Amino acid sequence: MIERTEIFEGKVTTRGRMLRMGALLSAPGLLWLGVFLLLPMLGLCVLAFASRGNYGAVEWSFSLGNVKRLFGFGLFGWTPDTLMILLRSAVLAVGTTALCVTLSFPLAFWIAGRPKENRNLLMALVMVPSCTNLVIRTYAWMLALEAQMPPAWLARWTGLIGPEDSLYPGSMAVFLGMVSSMLPFAALPIYTAVERLDWSLVEAARDLYAKAFSTFRHAILPQVLPGTVAAVILTLVPSLGMFVVSDLLGGARNMLIGNLIQQQFGSASDWPYGAMVGMFLVLTSLLSLAVFQRWGGGLVPKNTVEERR
Amino acid sequence: MFEPTPPLADGVLDLHLSGIHKSFGDHDVLRGISMDITDGEFVTLLGPSGCGKTTLLRIIAGFEGADQGKVMLGKLDMGPLPAHKRPVNTVFQNYAIFPHLSVFENVAFGLRSRKIADSELRQRVMSMMELIRIADLADRQPLTLSGGQRQRVALARALVNEPDVLLLDEPLSAIDASLRHDLQVELKSLQRRTTITFILVTHDQDEAIAVSDRIMVMKDGLIEQQGSPEDVYERPVSRFVAEFLGHANILSAKRMGSLQARTSVGDLVLPSEPSWSEGTLAIRPEDIEVRDSGDAPNSLPGCVQERLFRGDHWELRVDLQGQLVRVITEPDQENQIGQNVFLEMPPDDLQVLRD
């Protein structure tokens, strides 16, 4: 049988040869994903259903004990502690993402409005802090939020906190630290979208009598939406797993899911439970990405004629 | 069908620009533009890129403010009005169609912004789409349209608002040559039927000549010449206009008497007295006659260097004293390469340029 020939990029080739070439080209990426994502995930999955033996050893017998613990059923009956940690992590991650995205818009429009030669410099200044180690940056926040430092005076003077209270440690400090460390990841994709904005659409909307909100909705939002989706993903996923910031700025009462995992693999020496929480985090992240992808696409206003009919 | 606006008192919708200056940084884009455009006129701003024509259009639309000067529509000073308060709509160069809205919603956009009732809106949008012949595209998404269709959508979207002045920024520049000619015809007849003032910006001289009632040739932020297409084509005032509109043979000349000049190709009788002692003359290739003898006035001997058949005419390059002159002849002419001929340049067809 003669194999069917195909033309690809000006070369005559056969289907079989093209498939082999495709496999060869995607091999490095697939190998990477297999070795560094799939295998560890499998290990985590197996480990999660084992249990902790004496002195932190792992007991290789199948058990659902870690699932129960994750949802709050401990030795002394049900407690909301773990669920509170999960809830706090989710609220903080969503809040951080929302604030980062909201702050990125004015920032992006401002930078995009500067002369071309200054824009890259300004954007570099936004990105530069993430070149420093996160731990060092977080220590800087610790220092800045100390009770004797100006931000704390200001907060006390305006009545934001009581006269005996301090800004750190606390959930506000964690929030601040998170937003400051995540902002560049939101700013970059949003800036890229804003800089490429086709302003003639904005002019067309103004020319056709649109008010500010309508102009934003029809001329700007559809153009920046893909960048915004990228910004949300890039901030939401790392925020969910963040533990350094909350560890240093949060104090004992502001534990997040990241700290919980770290604790199990560290001081608690309960690797199976840590694996279970870790797996839960990965699955939650994937799930929220999937949901967001569907729901995020629906944000684009559709043909309104169809809706009316 | 589209209802022409009822006649108003004369001059109410005339557009008057006076002394418009505009600079970006230290670059002067417009250096004192004044023009009066009558209601219902089709005016073209023609010039090479960078001449300021688009900036002038954007000032009329309200997307840019003038540094100096006034934009008046009748007695209405449009200077302080933002774009969305001016009775003016624009067709953008890249069409600027909202990609997420259907064709119908794009056309309806302006009426919706002005909260026109749904039944009236539907009726106006549909009749405009019928006029522009895009009614069958109503439910299509813009991304599925061809360039010519997008152009029509942009036109319908602006015209449905019944503006007093329609501004068109290079509307046909992104369209194939063959379709462009059809659209020029349509644009012209659309303007005649709607009786709306059209101001078209283009760098395409063919387009300008074909559609306009009046052409304003712009150069370096100033109006170089204005007049009817015939006027500007037949009687260019400067070398720039002569060369920008169609082809022209440019001859450098010295004044020898009040109506006599010595040019690079020989002595010529002039139709009018030049203001210079040394300057230039222009003559269109189709105004030159090829003769066998040099009896007629302004006949100069030369030699045919090249001949190209252009279908409806022959294009010759004739060597006159070392300068190649472009000549257009009837298709039945049979001049051969290397043949010695006389070129007659009738004095009335010679243009004395100001520079």
Side-chain angles (χ1 to χ4, degrees):
Chain A
M1 194 188 101
I2 301 166
E3 244 188 315
R4 246 184 78 203
T5 56
E6 313 239 346
I7 307 272
F8 178 69
E9 294 201 330
K11 287 200 189 82
V12 180
T13 177
T14 63
R15 210 168 168 73
R17 218 184 293 162
M18 271 173 73
L19 281 176
R20 279 196 294 282
M21 184 58 94
L24 195 69
L25 286 175
S26 51
L30 288 177
L31 199 70
W32 180 276
L33 282 179
V35 172
F36 294 106
L37 181 73
L38 223 56
L39 273 181
M41 278 302 292
L42 272 174
L44 215 58
C45 190
V46 171
L47 191 59
F49 291 100
S51 51
R52 179 180 185 266
N54 293 327
Y55 311 111
V58 177
E59 206 153 281
W60 295 104
S61 57
F62 179 81
S63 114
L64 288 173
N66 288 331
V67 183
K68 285 188 192 154
R69 264 179 83 185
L70 185 65
F71 291 102
F73 297 96
L75 280 176
F76 313 105
W78 187 81
T79 56
D81 293 356
T82 349
L83 285 184
M84 280 311 291
I85 291 176
L86 299 183
L87 189 68
R88 194 183 298 130
S89 304
V91 168
L92 193 67
V94 170
T96 303
T97 306
L99 192 63
C100 283
V101 169
T102 317
L103 288 177
S104 292
F105 269 102
L107 183 72
F109 275 99
W110 184 75
I111 293 180
R114 297 308 98 204
K116 214 177 186 96
E117 56 271 25
N118 297 347
R119 283 186 220 156
N120 284 343
L121 178 72
L122 286 167
M123 211 49 217
L125 287 179
V126 174
M127 303 303 294
V128 148
S130 27
C131 299
T132 352
N133 189 298
L134 180 61
V135 178
I136 296 172
R137 264 182 291 151
T138 311
Y139 270 106
W141 274 114
M142 279 166 75
L143 217 64
L145 298 175
E146 278 285 351
Q148 301 93 320
M149 295 299 256
W153 302 344
L154 203 69
R156 251 176 259 131
W157 183 67
T158 50
L160 229 59
I161 54 173
E164 302 299 314
D165 298 336
S166 64
L167 286 169
Y168 145 83
S171 48
M172 265 329 278
V174 177
F175 190 51
L176 254 172
M178 295 266 278
V179 170
S180 76
S181 63
M182 289 300 164
L183 187 67
F185 301 105
L188 193 63
I190 289 179
Y191 167 73
T192 311
V194 168
E195 202 214 3
R196 281 198 216 135
L197 208 64
D198 177 2
W199 285 97
S200 68
L201 278 181
V202 176
E203 289 184 344
R206 301 299 283 168
D207 190 57
L208 298 165
Y209 324 106
K211 303 239 162 49
F213 176 73
S214 178
T215 305
F216 176 77
R217 179 168 178 272
H218 292 290
I220 295 179
L221 187 63
Q223 296 192 69
V224 298
L225 204 59
T228 312
V229 170
V232 168
I233 290 171
L234 284 177
T235 43
L236 186 66
V237 174
S239 302
L240 274 173
M242 178 70 84
F243 68 94
V244 175
V245 174
S246 51
D247 194 32
L248 295 180
L249 294 177
R253 296 168 62 189
N254 280 294
M255 207 184 205
L256 297 183
I257 188 165
N259 306 103
L260 185 64
I261 298 170
Q262 183 209 21
Q263 199 181 56
Q264 302 315 310
F265 283 96
S267 55
S269 290
D270 191 347
W271 285 30
Y273 184 48
M276 177 55 75
V277 184
M279 226 172 60
F280 179 77
L281 175 62
V282 172
L283 290 179
T284 319
S285 304
L286 287 178
L287 198 73
S288 58
L289 280 187
V291 167
F292 192 73
Q293 205 146 32
R294 294 209 106 178
W295 175 73
L299 277 178
V300 185
K302 281 265 162 55
N303 182 349
T304 42
V305 177
E306 265 170 20
E307 286 161 17
R308 224 184 356 265
R309 277 185 187 156
Chain B
M1 277 306 283
F2 188 84
E3 296 285 330
T5 34
L8 293 161
D10 275 354
V12 168
L13 296 180
D14 292 355
L15 192 66
H16 306 285
L17 307 187
S18 50
I20 305 276
H21 282 261
K22 177 76 183 176
S23 49
F24 293 112
D26 50 6
H27 177 53
D28 294 332
V29 180
L30 297 174
R31 302 187 293 147
I33 298 273
S34 300
M35 57 172 76
D36 298 302
I37 296 170
T38 318
D39 181 23
E41 211 179 354
F42 198 140
V43 171
T44 299
L45 306 177
L46 174 68
S49 56
C51 72
K53 56 190 192 299
T54 297
T55 305
L56 185 60
L57 197 79
R58 291 171 59 79
I59 285 173
I60 300 172
F63 300 135
E64 306 276 358
D67 296 340
Q68 279 176 51
K70 277 199 150 177
V71 182
M72 306 277 294
L73 186 73
K75 294 207 163 47
L76 172 69
D77 182 2
M78 296 213 292
L81 296 180
H84 60 284
K85 296 224 170 104
R86 299 188 181 198
V88 159
N89 288 105
T90 305
V91 176
F92 292 85
Q93 180 168 16
N94 62 356
Y95 319 133
I97 292 183
F98 302 115
H100 61 292
L101 294 180
S102 69
V103 168
F104 182 95
E105 283 305 317
N106 263 284
V107 178
F109 195 91
L111 300 179
R112 270 199 207 294
S113 301
R114 287 192 295 169
K115 309 250 186 302
I116 304 288
D118 217 48
S119 57
E120 186 195 341
L121 173 138
R122 180 162 295 276
Q123 188 260 322
R124 276 172 70 177
V125 170
M126 286 319 285
S127 68
M128 179 50 67
M129 291 206 297
E130 268 155 35
L131 180 74
I132 315 259
R133 292 195 275 142
I134 50 170
D136 52 330
L137 302 179
D139 294 333
R140 294 270 291 274
Q141 292 298 314
L143 289 176
T144 67
L145 301 181
S146 70
Q149 288 170 330
R150 283 180 206 195
Q151 177 53 54
R152 287 163 192 272
V153 174
L155 208 53
R157 187 179 69 173
L159 274 177
V160 76
N161 302 294
E162 298 178 6
D164 294 335
V165 178
L166 184 72
L167 306 174
L168 304 109
D169 185 8
E170 307 247 10
L172 305 180
S173 63
I175 291 178
D176 295 342
S178 57
L179 187 58
R180 191 158 60 216
H181 283 111
D182 293 343
L183 284 172
Q184 285 167 4
V185 175
E186 273 188 56
L187 211 57
K188 180 72 187 167
S189 79
L190 191 65
Q191 192 268 336
R192 221 194 308 273
R193 277 184 288 163
T194 57
T195 69
I196 291 173
T197 308
F198 277 34
I199 303 179
L200 173 81
V201 157
T202 186
H203 63 265
D204 180 341
Q205 41 108 359
D206 283 331
E207 188 170 301
I209 291 173
V211 300
S212 329
D213 295 326
R214 189 147 54 111
I215 296 178
M216 313 244 177
V217 185
M218 289 181 65
K219 184 197 175 194
D220 298 335
L222 289 171
I223 295 175
E224 183 91 350
Q225 185 176 3
Q226 57 169 303
S228 68
E230 302 91 319
D231 210 38
V232 176
Y233 183 83
E234 298 291 346
R235 283 172 289 282
V237 296
S238 65
R239 178 172 184 163
F240 173 79
V241 176
E243 289 187 316
F244 197 76
L245 274 92
H247 300 284
N249 294 299
I250 304 291
L251 312 171
S252 52
K254 263 195 192 120
R255 192 168 77 164
M256 301 304 284
S258 66
L259 290 176
Q260 279 282 331
R262 175 152 297 162
T263 73
S264 47
V265 298
D267 286 353
L268 291 172
V269 177
L270 302 180
S272 59
E273 187 176 348
S275 55
W276 35 257
S277 60
E278 271 188 62
T280 46
L281 306 174
I283 185 159
R284 298 277 177 203
E286 65 270 24
D287 291 334
I288 301 177
E289 302 289 343
V290 182
R291 305 279 185 220
D292 295 331
S293 69
D295 303 337
N298 283 359
S299 291
L300 301 168
C303 178
V304 179
Q305 291 286 309
E306 202 59 76
R307 66 196 286 262
L308 296 99
F309 185 54
R310 297 287 197 186
D312 56 348
H313 65 263
W314 280 95
E315 182 183 327
L316 306 183
R317 296 295 161 107
V318 179
D319 184 343
L320 292 186
Q321 317 283 330
Q323 181 172 354
L324 281 183
V325 173
R326 181 176 178 141
V327 183
I328 284 173
T329 67
E330 297 297 311
D332 55 358
Q333 282 271 2
E334 285 179 1
N335 307 100
Q336 297 303 313
I337 291 175
Q339 189 183 344
N340 288 316
V341 294
F342 285 90
L343 294 188
E344 182 195 345
M345 302 184 184
D348 283 350
D349 293 326
L350 269 179
Q351 285 303 310
V352 178
L353 303 179
R354 67 171 185 222
D355 46 0

